Amino acid sequence: MTVRTRFAPSPTGFMHIGNLRTGLYTYLYARKHNGTFILRIEDTDQERKVEGAVEAIYRTLKIAGMSYDEGPDKDGGYGPYVQTERMGLYKEYAEKLVELGGAYYCFCDKERLQSIVDDNGLHTYDKHCRNIPLEEAKARVAAGEPYVIRQKVPEGVVSSYTDLVFGEISVASEDIEDGVLLKSDGLPTYNFANVVDDHLMGITHVMRGIEYLSSTPKYNLIYDAFGWERPTYIHLTTIMKDAQRKLSKRYGDANFEDFVAKGYLPEAIVNYIALLGWCPKSNQEKMTIDEMVEQFDVDGLSKSPAIFDEAKMRWLNGEYLKAMTPEEFYTVSLPYIMKSKAGGKFNDYEISRLMQTRVDVLSDIPDKIDFLVDFDEYDINMYVHQKMKVDFNVAKQALKVAFDAMSNLDDWTEDALKECMKSSAEAGGMKGGQVMFSVRVALTGQPSTPGGAVEMAVVLGKEESMRRLAFSIDYLNREAQ
Ligand code: GLU
């Protein structure tokens, strides 16, 4: 059997982390089994449709590296892949189901439906139209009477199936409503469309959120009534924001593109969400999407809810950043360096090198480097450091020897600068640390900085470093008599 899976997002908002995880697992399952991964857009709920959401689905799958084999723009012979383009089909199949005895026409109006209240206070349909003879119902339809088509749930049966994660799920037919399959406007409900589409698209494995776990027996009864083979089901555990609350679209940050905009790498997000409810046998945490394909296994899918932990995603993102080559990191970090006041003023490449091991998320960069331009407002007492044995006099002397040596240095590299500061310290009868400390304060005006004197000098470049050293020497001479 060739595995065919589908990801069926609804364009009702931007790509939520939970949805993307469903898509990812579906993709991994298909790839793992050399199957086909299909994208289907479930847009029958036009009221909930959000402008731009379809485009966000395409964009997200592309950035996330989840390429589909069939979809709206990739015909594989099972299209159309957008539900609103399949409208005729649903009506045709709903009518077929009526003929097969699995559904019936219902003419109850809104008022009547509102007036029905079951023992639980719900408006559960009371099967009022279930026994209208088919010929009579057809005549009423032909006469133009408004109608819906409802599922004729067999009575007195228990509908069961085995979910590959949650095991056996059974629902008694008395607990299943004769729900609407085709609405009065001729549009299908999700309950009907998902069955028709999955069957016609030859879907063998349905992976979706746990919220569908207990509705699936109802869908299976539709498969059975048509005489269609049921697919295999794999329901996925909930993602929680914390112990009590579900991660929801309303939790503003839970969408993929927002995380990308916040400076997370798409591959790190994908990696992190893969682990939300799936544990590879190897327990490996950082892995490429190809490694995930290799290791993906339904046995590793969890039944218990997964907690979305942004701190952990930050950590993982940091691991991805550190693993990049300096050139790759420069490319991804430059837009964030340019967001800082310091961007474009000094050596951006050296700034990126400095940041590579110091941030977990790219959007942390601007705040971390703004200090490079806030140089001249500083507190002279910063030069006093007991442990380093630096006071004003030592600092003055240190800056003087460093200034002389550095102004003669042409090779403005880390190694050469280190050597230069060390030897100038020796020549002046001081410790290397005393010179480096004084130079770092003089170059930055900060009590602490990411990187020491050498890194700061490289970032600032020779001209700006010498200007700051001269300024600081002057300042110290003036202020610390
Ligand atoms: N359109 C449904 C959703 O976004 C998909 C459910 C399914 O995969 O069947 O929740």
Side-chain angles (χ1 to χ4, degrees):
M1 177 184 63
T2 309
V3 166
R4 287 175 62 82
T5 67
R6 89 298 192 275
F7 176 39
S10 299
T12 53
F14 292 93
M15 184 72 88
H16 181 242
I17 287 299
N19 275 343
L20 187 64
R21 186 198 59 174
T22 301
L24 175 64
Y25 289 172
T26 309
Y27 169 86
L28 296 176
Y29 192 87
R31 291 285 170 269
K32 169 87 188 187
H33 295 91
N34 295 317
T36 305
F37 175 58
I38 297 154
L39 173 66
R40 179 170 79 223
I41 305 291
E42 300 209 324
D43 61 347
T44 44
D45 193 347
Q46 291 287 310
E47 271 166 34
R48 288 179 58 220
K49 192 166 170 178
V50 169
E51 200 60 44
V54 173
E55 291 70 26
I57 292 171
Y58 294 137
R59 256 193 335 263
T60 300
L61 291 181
K62 196 161 177 204
I63 303 172
M66 290 155 51
S67 59
Y68 44 88
D69 308 302
E70 295 176 27
D73 53 352
K74 249 189 182 175
D75 189 14
Y78 291 81
Y81 296 88
V82 178
Q83 284 187 328
T84 45
E85 293 169 21
R86 301 170 65 78
M87 285 311 172
L89 277 173
Y90 304 119
K91 187 158 185 285
E92 184 189 324
Y93 277 91
E95 285 165 357
K96 213 178 246 180
L97 196 60
V98 171
E99 296 296 333
L100 290 168
Y104 58 92
Y105 293 101
C106 165
F107 304 95
C108 295
D109 60 18
K110 258 205 187 112
E111 287 70 42
R112 174 157 202 286
L113 295 175
Q114 277 302 317
S115 69
I116 311 168
V117 182
D118 70 8
D119 296 345
N120 299 316
L122 301 171
H123 298 290
T124 307
Y125 188 57
D126 62 359
K127 307 184 180 177
H128 182 74
C129 295
R130 184 169 165 125
N131 296 317
I132 299 175
L134 184 54
E135 289 316 311
E136 184 190 323
K138 279 187 180 166
R140 287 170 71 174
V141 168
E145 194 173 332
Y147 68 94
V148 299
I149 292 181
R150 287 183 181 273
Q151 182 174 2
K152 194 179 216 167
V153 176
E155 289 175 326
V157 301
V158 174
S159 180
S160 304
Y161 73 103
T162 305
D163 181 87
L164 293 195
V165 176
F166 291 89
E168 192 177 317
I169 306 293
S170 299
V171 178
S173 62
E174 67 231 40
D175 293 330
I176 305 177
E177 185 184 18
D178 280 1
V180 174
L181 303 180
L182 197 77
K183 296 183 275 188
S184 54
D185 57 7
L187 299 183
T189 55
Y190 165 78
N191 293 344
F192 190 54
N194 91 87
V195 172
V196 172
D197 290 343
D198 285 341
H199 172 72
L200 294 181
M201 292 184 177
I203 302 303
T204 59
H205 293 74
V206 169
M207 290 180 112
R208 63 184 166 213
I210 193 173
E211 61 274 24
Y212 296 98
L213 185 72
S214 56
S215 320
T216 295
K218 174 166 71 187
Y219 309 148
N220 281 334
L221 291 173
I222 303 177
Y223 281 94
D224 298 350
F226 272 118
W228 293 342
E229 193 179 333
R230 300 171 178 185
T232 298
Y233 296 98
I234 303 165
H235 285 95
L236 306 168
T237 185
T238 322
I239 303 179
M240 307 288 287
K241 183 179 171 182
D242 53 39
Q244 279 84 35
R245 289 169 298 173
K246 265 171 62 170
L247 193 70
S248 83
K249 273 188 195 175
R250 265 163 252 141
Y251 167 46
D253 273 341
N255 103 52
F256 176 78
E257 291 189 297
D258 276 352
F259 283 123
V260 174
K262 262 167 96 176
Y264 285 92
L265 299 171
E267 54 272 40
I269 306 173
V270 169
N271 189 160
Y272 178 67
I273 64 171
L275 303 173
L276 282 174
W278 171 57
C279 181
K281 281 199 183 82
S282 65
N283 277 330
Q284 187 181 341
E285 289 199 302
K286 182 169 179 278
M287 55 179 124
T288 63
I289 199 159
D290 290 339
E291 286 172 317
M292 291 177 212
V293 168
E294 216 167 279
Q295 301 193 32
F296 194 72
D297 184 355
V298 171
D299 289 346
L301 290 175
S302 170
K303 277 191 202 179
S304 40
I307 294 191
F308 182 82
D309 177 1
E310 191 169 348
K312 174 129 193 220
M313 185 161 85
R314 279 183 72 90
W315 166 80
L316 192 58
N317 197 65
E319 295 298 298
Y320 273 83
L321 295 178
K322 287 182 194 96
M324 289 178 146
T325 64
E327 285 69 29
E328 283 166 347
F329 184 78
Y330 174 62
T331 306
V332 296
S333 65
L334 189 58
Y336 294 87
I337 293 175
M338 297 314 286
K339 278 187 195 161
S340 155
K341 292 179 273 180
K345 293 208 170 71
F346 310 108
N347 188 331
D348 292 325
Y349 181 75
E350 293 299 337
I351 293 180
S352 85
R353 282 196 50 206
L354 195 63
M355 288 295 110
Q356 185 164 8
T357 52
R358 291 183 170 84
V359 294
D360 284 332
V361 176
L362 296 168
S363 56
D364 289 348
I365 291 178
D367 278 354
K368 280 202 154 43
I369 60 173
D370 277 351
F371 79 89
L372 287 167
V373 286
D374 301 331
F375 154 72
D376 36 12
E377 297 159 19
Y378 68 93
D379 174 1
I380 192 152
N381 291 314
M382 269 184 310
Y383 284 106
V384 180
H385 196 298
Q386 278 181 347
K387 225 166 121 199
M388 300 284 257
K389 296 202 164 54
V390 179
D391 58 18
F392 293 141
N393 285 329
V394 174
K396 276 184 198 170
Q397 196 196 344
L399 292 186
K400 168 110 189 51
V401 293
F403 183 92
D404 292 344
M406 285 164 74
S407 57
N408 289 323
L409 185 71
D410 292 324
D411 181 15
W412 203 259
T413 57
E414 281 188 20
D415 288 347
L417 278 159
K418 203 181 218 166
E419 192 44 49
C420 170
M421 286 186 220
K422 258 170 118 181
S423 52
S424 65
E426 259 166 50
M430 280 175 290
K431 290 224 159 59
Q434 290 173 310
V435 170
M436 301 234 194
F437 172 81
S438 307
V439 169
R440 192 188 58 71
V441 173
L443 290 179
T444 64
Q446 301 294 319
S448 70
T449 52
V454 168
E455 283 101 335
M456 293 299 111
V458 171
V459 161
L460 294 171
K462 181 169 179 180
E463 199 184 325
E464 180 63 9
S465 296
M466 296 319 295
R467 189 185 75 76
R468 291 186 179 194
L469 281 175
F471 172 94
S472 301
I473 290 168
D474 240 30
Y475 178 71
L476 209 45
N477 282 338
R478 239 185 6 255
E479 303 290 326
Q481 295 297 335

